């Protein structure tokens, strides 16, 4: 069987920046074991699988299926638009493990509608988490939990940018992912972040849409704003525009560029 496969750099307008996602679109859903194998073969943070018959969208890392992925959703909508299966201004509705998700292609970007997570500021950290991240307690301004993940506000951009986590050590602890963030004084960017997820086979995710849902809630409460521009300061880097809605939803928007089209023989 031959399958058309794409690789899309999401949350960027430049090739080799942003977050690469695999995209595989078929008329009906593929066998789950095959999707796992394809995602492992693609060997990038996430590969999205869309079945057109029921618009069911699923996301796989090289190791596990995940319940929500922003950049691979953006990549899927981008391919639907680029291939003529979606029109600018027309909203796409995907069925996912996280419920219905909407994505609207525009001329130069994709806008997505995601659920806003609830932040838990009573969450406690394993005593080894900060040492393994390379942090001292006084460098952490605030701690919150969301969707089995951790969000840490740090004391400075320098602290955030210089982090070199011990990923092998972190994998020995319970966890899902850790997002670190700091406010910036740059007019074009409201906050920067990094996201570490060795538990799902992605030591550092280049740009994470789902993390920006939590970041929007966190910074929205702290800064009393509804709209933000976030920059994820990975090696590749990427920009995510976020907006809080009144109905416990977050709008994410960004650009994408296709870097690979091919045929996968399975």
């Amino acid at each position: 069987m031959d399958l058309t496969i794409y690789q899309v750099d999401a949350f960027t307008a430049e090739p080799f920046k942003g977050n690469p996602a695999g995209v595989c679109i078929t008329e009906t859903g593929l066998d789950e074991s095959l999707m796992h194998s394809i995602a492992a073969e693609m060997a990038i943070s996430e590969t999205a699988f869309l079945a057109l018959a029921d618009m069911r969208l699923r996301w796989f890392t090289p190791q596990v299926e995940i319940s929500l992925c922003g950049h691979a959703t953006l990549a899927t909508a981008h391919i639907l638009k680029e291939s003529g299966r979606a029109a600018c201004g027309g909203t796409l509705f995907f069925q996912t493990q996280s419920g219905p998700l909407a994505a609207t292609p525009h001329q130069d970007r994709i806008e997505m509608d995601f659920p806003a997570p609830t932040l838990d500021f009573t969450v406690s950290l394993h005593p080894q988490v900060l040492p393994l991240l390379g942090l001292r307690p006084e460098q952490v301004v605030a701690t919150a939990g969301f969707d089995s993940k951790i969000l840490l506000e740090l004391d400075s951009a320098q602290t955030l940018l210089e982090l070199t986590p011990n990923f092998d050590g972190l994998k020995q602890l319970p966890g899902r992912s850790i997002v670190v963030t700091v406010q910036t004084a740059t007019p074009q960017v409201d906050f920067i972040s990094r996201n570490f997820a060795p538990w799902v086979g992605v030591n550092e995710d280049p740009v994470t849409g789902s993390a920006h849902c939590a970041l929007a809630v966190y910074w929205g409460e702290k800064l009393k704003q509804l709209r933000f521009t976030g920059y994820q300061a990975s090696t590749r880097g990427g920009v995510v525009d976020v907006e809080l809605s009144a109905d416990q939803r977050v709008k994410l928007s960004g650009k994408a560029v296709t870097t690979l089209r091919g045929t996968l023989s399975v």
Side-chain angles (χ1 to χ4, degrees), residues 50-89:
L50 176 65
L52 294 173
D54 56 5
M55 293 300 284
R56 187 182 184 195
L57 180 62
R58 300 173 71 176
W59 311 278
F60 291 78
T61 77
Q63 294 184 6
V64 299
E65 182 175 10
I66 58 173
S67 60
L68 186 65
C69 183
H71 85 280
T73 303
L74 189 154
T76 303
H78 168 78
I79 290 298
L80 289 172
K81 171 191 167 187
E82 192 173 67
S83 63
R85 287 176 282 195
C88 288

Short mmCIF file of all heavy atoms in Angstrom, two decimals, residues 50-89:
data_model
loop_
_atom_site.label_atom_id
_atom_site.label_comp_id
_atom_site.label_asym_id
_atom_site.label_seq_id
_atom_site.Cartn_x
_atom_site.Cartn_y
_atom_site.Cartn_z
N LEU A 50 -5.27 11.91 9.56
CA LEU A 50 -6.64 12.38 9.37
C LEU A 50 -7.39 11.42 8.46
O LEU A 50 -6.94 11.13 7.35
CB LEU A 50 -6.66 13.78 8.75
CG LEU A 50 -8.05 14.33 8.41
CD1 LEU A 50 -8.88 14.55 9.68
CD2 LEU A 50 -7.93 15.62 7.60
N ALA A 51 -8.55 10.93 8.93
CA ALA A 51 -9.45 10.12 8.11
C ALA A 51 -10.57 11.03 7.61
O ALA A 51 -11.35 11.55 8.40
CB ALA A 51 -10.02 8.97 8.94
N LEU A 52 -10.64 11.23 6.30
CA LEU A 52 -11.61 12.17 5.74
C LEU A 52 -13.06 11.72 5.92
O LEU A 52 -13.97 12.55 5.99
CB LEU A 52 -11.31 12.37 4.25
CG LEU A 52 -9.99 13.06 3.93
CD1 LEU A 52 -9.74 13.04 2.41
CD2 LEU A 52 -9.98 14.50 4.44
N ALA A 53 -13.29 10.41 6.01
CA ALA A 53 -14.66 9.90 6.09
C ALA A 53 -15.40 10.46 7.30
O ALA A 53 -16.59 10.76 7.23
CB ALA A 53 -14.65 8.37 6.13
N ASP A 54 -14.69 10.57 8.43
CA ASP A 54 -15.34 11.10 9.64
C ASP A 54 -14.56 12.27 10.25
O ASP A 54 -14.90 12.73 11.35
CB ASP A 54 -15.53 10.00 10.68
CG ASP A 54 -14.23 9.30 11.04
OD1 ASP A 54 -13.16 9.73 10.55
OD2 ASP A 54 -14.28 8.31 11.80
N MET A 55 -13.52 12.75 9.57
CA MET A 55 -12.68 13.85 10.02
C MET A 55 -12.07 13.58 11.40
O MET A 55 -11.90 14.48 12.21
CB MET A 55 -13.46 15.17 10.03
CG MET A 55 -13.86 15.65 8.65
SD MET A 55 -12.43 15.94 7.54
CE MET A 55 -11.80 17.50 8.17
N ARG A 56 -11.76 12.31 11.63
CA ARG A 56 -11.10 11.96 12.89
C ARG A 56 -9.61 12.23 12.75
O ARG A 56 -8.96 11.74 11.83
CB ARG A 56 -11.33 10.50 13.25
CG ARG A 56 -10.80 10.15 14.64
CD ARG A 56 -10.99 8.70 14.99
NE ARG A 56 -10.55 8.44 16.35
CZ ARG A 56 -10.32 7.24 16.85
NH1 ARG A 56 -10.52 6.16 16.10
NH2 ARG A 56 -9.90 7.08 18.10
N LEU A 57 -9.10 13.02 13.68
CA LEU A 57 -7.70 13.43 13.67
C LEU A 57 -7.00 12.85 14.89
O LEU A 57 -7.47 13.01 16.02
CB LEU A 57 -7.60 14.96 13.67
CG LEU A 57 -6.21 15.58 13.66
CD1 LEU A 57 -5.44 15.20 12.40
CD2 LEU A 57 -6.31 17.11 13.79
N ARG A 58 -5.87 12.16 14.64
CA ARG A 58 -5.10 11.57 15.74
C ARG A 58 -3.63 11.99 15.59
O ARG A 58 -3.15 12.25 14.49
CB ARG A 58 -5.24 10.04 15.73
CG ARG A 58 -6.67 9.59 15.89
CD ARG A 58 -6.84 8.09 15.72
NE ARG A 58 -6.28 7.34 16.85
CZ ARG A 58 -6.37 6.02 16.97
NH1 ARG A 58 -6.97 5.30 16.02
NH2 ARG A 58 -5.85 5.39 18.02
N TRP A 59 -2.93 12.00 16.72
CA TRP A 59 -1.54 12.45 16.74
C TRP A 59 -0.68 11.43 17.47
O TRP A 59 -1.03 10.97 18.56
CB TRP A 59 -1.41 13.79 17.45
CG TRP A 59 -2.37 14.85 17.01
CD1 TRP A 59 -2.27 15.68 15.92
CD2 TRP A 59 -3.58 15.26 17.69
NE1 TRP A 59 -3.32 16.56 15.87
CE2 TRP A 59 -4.14 16.32 16.95
CE3 TRP A 59 -4.22 14.83 18.85
CZ2 TRP A 59 -5.32 16.95 17.32
CZ3 TRP A 59 -5.39 15.46 19.22
CH2 TRP A 59 -5.93 16.50 18.46
N PHE A 60 0.47 11.13 16.89
CA PHE A 60 1.39 10.17 17.48
C PHE A 60 2.80 10.76 17.53
O PHE A 60 3.28 11.31 16.53
CB PHE A 60 1.43 8.88 16.66
CG PHE A 60 0.17 8.06 16.73
CD1 PHE A 60 -0.96 8.42 15.98
CD2 PHE A 60 0.10 6.93 17.53
CE1 PHE A 60 -2.12 7.67 16.04
CE2 PHE A 60 -1.07 6.17 17.59
CZ PHE A 60 -2.18 6.54 16.84
N THR A 61 3.45 10.62 18.69
CA THR A 61 4.89 10.86 18.76
C THR A 61 5.57 9.58 18.27
O THR A 61 4.90 8.58 17.98
CB THR A 61 5.34 11.15 20.20
OG1 THR A 61 5.40 9.93 20.94
CG2 THR A 61 4.40 12.13 20.90
N PRO A 62 6.89 9.55 18.19
CA PRO A 62 7.55 8.29 17.83
C PRO A 62 7.29 7.16 18.82
O PRO A 62 7.57 6.00 18.51
CB PRO A 62 9.03 8.68 17.79
CG PRO A 62 9.02 10.12 17.42
CD PRO A 62 7.84 10.68 18.15
N GLN A 63 6.74 7.49 20.01
CA GLN A 63 6.55 6.46 21.03
C GLN A 63 5.10 6.24 21.43
O GLN A 63 4.70 5.11 21.71
CB GLN A 63 7.37 6.81 22.28
CG GLN A 63 8.87 6.75 22.05
CD GLN A 63 9.65 6.99 23.33
OE1 GLN A 63 9.10 7.10 24.42
NE2 GLN A 63 10.97 7.08 23.20
N VAL A 64 4.28 7.31 21.49
CA VAL A 64 2.93 7.17 22.05
C VAL A 64 1.93 8.02 21.27
O VAL A 64 2.30 8.98 20.58
CB VAL A 64 2.87 7.60 23.54
CG1 VAL A 64 3.79 6.73 24.39
CG2 VAL A 64 3.25 9.08 23.69
N GLU A 65 0.64 7.69 21.41
CA GLU A 65 -0.42 8.55 20.93
C GLU A 65 -0.69 9.61 21.99
O GLU A 65 -0.68 9.33 23.18
CB GLU A 65 -1.70 7.76 20.65
CG GLU A 65 -2.83 8.64 20.10
CD GLU A 65 -4.08 7.87 19.70
OE1 GLU A 65 -4.15 6.66 20.04
OE2 GLU A 65 -4.96 8.47 19.07
N ILE A 66 -0.94 10.84 21.56
CA ILE A 66 -1.23 11.92 22.49
C ILE A 66 -2.64 12.47 22.22
O ILE A 66 -3.20 12.27 21.14
CB ILE A 66 -0.19 13.05 22.43
CG1 ILE A 66 -0.10 13.64 21.01
CG2 ILE A 66 1.18 12.53 22.87
CD1 ILE A 66 0.78 14.86 20.93
N SER A 67 -3.19 13.17 23.21
CA SER A 67 -4.59 13.59 23.13
C SER A 67 -4.78 14.97 22.51
O SER A 67 -5.90 15.33 22.15
CB SER A 67 -5.22 13.57 24.51
OG SER A 67 -4.54 14.44 25.39
N LEU A 68 -3.70 15.75 22.37
CA LEU A 68 -3.85 17.10 21.82
C LEU A 68 -2.52 17.56 21.26
O LEU A 68 -1.48 17.43 21.92
CB LEU A 68 -4.32 18.07 22.90
CG LEU A 68 -4.66 19.50 22.45
CD1 LEU A 68 -5.86 19.50 21.51
CD2 LEU A 68 -4.93 20.39 23.66
N CYS A 69 -2.54 18.09 20.05
CA CYS A 69 -1.31 18.60 19.43
C CYS A 69 -1.65 19.78 18.54
O CYS A 69 -2.34 19.64 17.53
CB CYS A 69 -0.61 17.51 18.62
SG CYS A 69 0.96 18.08 17.91
N GLY A 70 -1.15 20.94 18.91
CA GLY A 70 -1.46 22.15 18.16
C GLY A 70 -0.74 22.25 16.83
O GLY A 70 -1.35 22.52 15.80
N HIS A 71 0.58 22.02 16.84
CA HIS A 71 1.32 22.28 15.60
C HIS A 71 0.98 21.26 14.51
O HIS A 71 0.94 21.60 13.33
CB HIS A 71 2.83 22.31 15.87
CG HIS A 71 3.52 20.99 15.86
ND1 HIS A 71 3.50 20.13 16.94
CD2 HIS A 71 4.26 20.37 14.90
CE1 HIS A 71 4.20 19.05 16.65
NE2 HIS A 71 4.67 19.17 15.43
N ALA A 72 0.66 20.00 14.90
CA ALA A 72 0.29 19.01 13.89
C ALA A 72 -1.13 19.25 13.37
O ALA A 72 -1.45 18.88 12.23
CB ALA A 72 0.43 17.60 14.45
N THR A 73 -2.00 19.86 14.19
CA THR A 73 -3.32 20.27 13.72
C THR A 73 -3.19 21.39 12.69
O THR A 73 -3.82 21.37 11.63
CB THR A 73 -4.20 20.72 14.88
OG1 THR A 73 -4.30 19.67 15.84
CG2 THR A 73 -5.59 21.11 14.42
N LEU A 74 -2.34 22.37 13.01
CA LEU A 74 -2.07 23.45 12.07
C LEU A 74 -1.52 22.89 10.76
O LEU A 74 -1.94 23.28 9.66
CB LEU A 74 -1.09 24.45 12.70
CG LEU A 74 -0.83 25.77 11.95
CD1 LEU A 74 -0.40 26.84 12.93
CD2 LEU A 74 0.24 25.61 10.88
N ALA A 75 -0.59 21.95 10.88
CA ALA A 75 0.01 21.34 9.68
C ALA A 75 -1.02 20.62 8.83
O ALA A 75 -1.00 20.70 7.60
CB ALA A 75 1.13 20.38 10.10
N THR A 76 -1.96 19.92 9.48
CA THR A 76 -3.00 19.21 8.75
C THR A 76 -3.91 20.18 8.00
O THR A 76 -4.24 19.98 6.82
CB THR A 76 -3.83 18.35 9.72
OG1 THR A 76 -2.96 17.44 10.41
CG2 THR A 76 -4.90 17.56 8.98
N ALA A 77 -4.34 21.24 8.69
CA ALA A 77 -5.18 22.25 8.03
C ALA A 77 -4.43 22.91 6.88
O ALA A 77 -5.02 23.20 5.82
CB ALA A 77 -5.63 23.29 9.05
N HIS A 78 -3.14 23.13 7.06
CA HIS A 78 -2.33 23.72 6.00
C HIS A 78 -2.31 22.83 4.75
O HIS A 78 -2.47 23.32 3.62
CB HIS A 78 -0.90 23.94 6.53
CG HIS A 78 0.10 24.27 5.48
ND1 HIS A 78 0.22 25.54 4.93
CD2 HIS A 78 1.05 23.50 4.86
CE1 HIS A 78 1.19 25.53 4.03
NE2 HIS A 78 1.70 24.31 3.96
N ILE A 79 -2.13 21.52 4.93
CA ILE A 79 -2.11 20.60 3.80
C ILE A 79 -3.48 20.53 3.13
O ILE A 79 -3.59 20.49 1.89
CB ILE A 79 -1.65 19.20 4.24
CG1 ILE A 79 -0.16 19.23 4.60
CG2 ILE A 79 -1.91 18.16 3.15
CD1 ILE A 79 0.76 19.62 3.46
N LEU A 80 -4.56 20.54 3.91
CA LEU A 80 -5.90 20.54 3.32
C LEU A 80 -6.11 21.79 2.47
O LEU A 80 -6.69 21.72 1.37
CB LEU A 80 -6.96 20.45 4.43
CG LEU A 80 -7.07 19.10 5.14
CD1 LEU A 80 -8.01 19.23 6.33
CD2 LEU A 80 -7.56 18.00 4.19
N LYS A 81 -5.64 22.91 2.95
CA LYS A 81 -5.75 24.15 2.18
C LYS A 81 -4.87 24.09 0.94
O LYS A 81 -5.31 24.42 -0.18
CB LYS A 81 -5.35 25.34 3.05
CG LYS A 81 -5.23 26.67 2.31
CD LYS A 81 -4.56 27.71 3.20
CE LYS A 81 -4.13 28.93 2.38
NZ LYS A 81 -3.33 29.88 3.18
N GLU A 82 -3.63 23.67 1.11
CA GLU A 82 -2.67 23.65 0.00
C GLU A 82 -3.10 22.68 -1.11
O GLU A 82 -2.84 22.93 -2.29
CB GLU A 82 -1.29 23.27 0.55
CG GLU A 82 -0.15 23.48 -0.42
CD GLU A 82 1.19 23.24 0.25
OE1 GLU A 82 1.47 22.07 0.61
OE2 GLU A 82 1.96 24.20 0.42
N SER A 83 -3.77 21.60 -0.73
CA SER A 83 -4.19 20.60 -1.71
C SER A 83 -5.57 20.89 -2.30
O SER A 83 -6.09 20.10 -3.09
CB SER A 83 -4.20 19.21 -1.06
OG SER A 83 -5.14 19.16 0.00
N GLY A 84 -6.17 22.02 -1.91
CA GLY A 84 -7.46 22.41 -2.46
C GLY A 84 -8.66 21.77 -1.80
O GLY A 84 -9.79 21.90 -2.28
N ARG A 85 -8.46 21.07 -0.67
CA ARG A 85 -9.57 20.44 0.03
C ARG A 85 -10.16 21.32 1.11
O ARG A 85 -11.11 20.94 1.79
CB ARG A 85 -9.12 19.09 0.61
CG ARG A 85 -8.95 18.02 -0.46
CD ARG A 85 -8.42 16.72 0.09
NE ARG A 85 -6.98 16.77 0.33
CZ ARG A 85 -6.20 15.72 0.54
NH1 ARG A 85 -6.74 14.51 0.55
NH2 ARG A 85 -4.91 15.85 0.74
N ALA A 86 -9.61 22.50 1.29
CA ALA A 86 -10.16 23.48 2.23
C ALA A 86 -9.95 24.87 1.65
O ALA A 86 -8.91 25.14 1.04
CB ALA A 86 -9.48 23.37 3.59
N ALA A 87 -10.94 25.73 1.82
CA ALA A 87 -10.88 27.08 1.27
C ALA A 87 -10.57 28.09 2.35
O ALA A 87 -10.90 27.89 3.53
CB ALA A 87 -12.21 27.43 0.61
N CYS A 88 -9.93 29.19 1.98
CA CYS A 88 -9.66 30.26 2.93
C CYS A 88 -10.97 30.78 3.50
O CYS A 88 -11.93 31.04 2.76
CB CYS A 88 -8.91 31.40 2.24
SG CYS A 88 -7.20 31.03 1.85
N GLY A 89 -11.02 30.93 4.79
CA GLY A 89 -12.22 31.42 5.47
C GLY A 89 -13.21 30.33 5.83
O GLY A 89 -14.16 30.58 6.58
#
